[in-house]
Amino acid sequence: MVDRYHYQARFQRVVDYIYEHLDEPLDLNSLADIAHMSPTHWHRVYQAICGETLAATVKRLRLHQAAARLINTELSVEQIARSSGYSALPSFNRAFSQAYGLPPARFRAEGSHSKFVLAIAAKENEAMVEEAMMDVRIEQIEQPIPIVGVRHQGPYIEIGKAFEKLNAWLMQVDAWRYLKTVIGIYHDDPTCVAPQDLRSHACAVLKPDHGLAIPDEVEQLEVAAGRYAVLRFKGPYAGLQQAYHWLFSVWLPQSGEELGDQPCFEDYLNNPREVAPEALLTDIYLPLRE
């Protein structure tokens, strides 16, 4: 008899393959071969596990990758469209606009990340420093918070791969009734550590009485107690890098605070499968000294 973890292994193979081939043509039916299932049954199983179709996942991940490249590289829109699986630029512009609310070129210049870019530039002018400040609250976490997570090594923007695997496990064991929130923990400084060596975890905070058996690929961790500066970011995850840059280069020097030793983490307040990228809410937690 096949148990639920058998499907988890199949799912992980497919997720790994998708992430490794986002820049290439993907035959959705061929992914069933990787899962060792018939296309019809595999598509049904995938949608039941993930809450969206396989085609929707591939489209969402490709557009997320495109958004990150628009913000963090100087590649042309045409180059980004081709590397996102769109042979025709109008098709890419239309799909991106539907998902992100702006065509690619305008998103690059005017997306939610742009206010942080402008605020960082404003700090060069002392008269504009106050205008460059945004709302940051200080929060005290009194006790360590137990969490479970899937390890990711590589660029932080690709942690979605670990979240897909975490999500699949949560769905398969019907853990949603125990879920309090989903967070990402980021252990390394991306300005000092090579992208391929960055360590992070895609995590779930579960109610204490969950009683779930934790498989080997899911680690038991904790969020450290302590003081944190918390910035709420609204917009696509691709823009989070600019928010971090603002926190470290503008807010921290003006705050009188010192950084703590704990890793940064992010609390994801809504679901990218359910809301548009511009409506995503993320609380960024920056550790502070007591």
Side-chain angles (χ1 to χ4, degrees):
M1 183 175 179
V2 176
D3 65 20
R4 64 184 60 177
Y5 297 112
H6 186 73
Y7 287 106
Q8 176 76 9
R10 296 182 183 199
F11 179 86
Q12 289 188 4
R13 287 198 301 270
V14 172
V15 169
D16 287 339
Y17 187 88
I18 290 172
Y19 269 85
E20 289 165 5
H21 296 84
L22 279 176
D23 288 349
E24 305 168 19
L26 276 171
D27 179 356
L28 300 185
N29 286 332
S30 70
L31 296 177
D33 293 335
I34 297 170
H36 301 306
M37 296 181 69
S38 71
T40 299
H41 291 310
W42 167 243
H43 285 290
R44 287 178 176 174
V45 169
Y46 184 92
Q47 186 168 4
I49 290 174
C50 297
E52 67 180 355
T53 66
L54 187 54
T57 295
V58 172
K59 180 179 180 180
R60 175 171 56 82
L61 295 179
R62 281 179 164 164
L63 291 177
H64 168 67
Q65 177 178 267
R69 288 173 174 169
L70 285 165
I71 294 173
N72 299 313
T73 77
E74 296 183 358
L75 293 171
S76 69
V77 174
E78 291 82 359
Q79 290 173 308
I80 293 171
R82 287 195 298 271
S83 67
S84 302
Y86 291 85
S87 57
L89 184 58
S91 297
F92 173 67
N93 287 340
R94 184 165 55 252
F96 193 92
S97 297
Q98 289 173 347
Y100 283 77
L102 292 170
R106 283 190 59 196
F107 173 81
R108 172 174 263 171
E110 304 172 19
S112 55
H113 62 282
S114 63
K115 69 178 181 179
F116 292 96
V117 175
L118 294 173
I120 292 165
K123 74 170 185 173
E124 305 300 330
N125 183 341
E126 291 186 5
M128 297 175 65
V129 165
E130 186 173 347
E131 294 180 19
M133 298 305 282
M134 301 177 198
D135 289 337
V136 176
R137 70 180 190 270
I138 305 299
E139 184 171 316
Q140 180 77 38
I141 297 179
E142 299 292 347
Q143 300 290 335
I145 302 172
I147 55 177
V148 294
V150 174
R151 179 187 298 271
H152 171 68
Q153 180 170 324
Y156 285 157
I157 195 66
E158 296 176 7
I159 194 176
K161 180 178 179 180
F163 274 111
E164 298 293 338
K165 295 177 180 179
L166 177 69
N167 175 67
W169 172 69
L170 292 171
M171 291 286 287
Q172 287 186 61
V173 299
D174 194 24
W176 298 110
R177 63 189 185 278
Y178 302 116
L179 182 66
K180 297 176 70 175
T181 192
V182 175
I183 68 173
I185 298 183
Y186 300 90
H187 301 281
D188 298 310
D189 180 351
T191 65
C192 302
V193 178
Q196 67 271 16
D197 295 326
L198 291 169
R199 300 166 301 140
S200 55
H201 280 86
C203 302
V205 182
L206 301 174
K207 295 177 182 178
D209 61 346
H210 64 79
L212 299 171
I214 309 299
D216 292 341
E217 63 271 17
V218 179
E219 302 177 35
Q220 299 189 64
L221 310 161
E222 65 178 26
V223 172
R227 295 174 67 245
Y228 292 85
V230 185
L231 170 67
R232 178 157 297 179
F233 177 84
K234 182 178 181 181
Y237 298 142
L240 286 166
Q241 180 177 328
Q242 281 67 32
Y244 274 99
H245 189 185
W246 176 83
L247 271 170
F248 282 102
S249 66
V250 179
W251 180 81
L252 188 63
Q254 298 293 319
S255 69
E257 299 282 356
E258 293 187 32
L259 286 176
D261 296 326
Q262 309 94 312
C264 297
F265 71 92
E266 297 166 4
D267 186 3
Y268 307 107
L269 305 180
N270 47 15
N271 189 332
R273 290 182 175 85
E274 299 173 354
V275 303
E278 283 296 327
L280 290 169
L281 295 174
T282 306
D283 278 349
I284 301 173
Y285 280 72
L286 189 71
L288 303 174
R289 289 196 183 277
E290 296 289 346

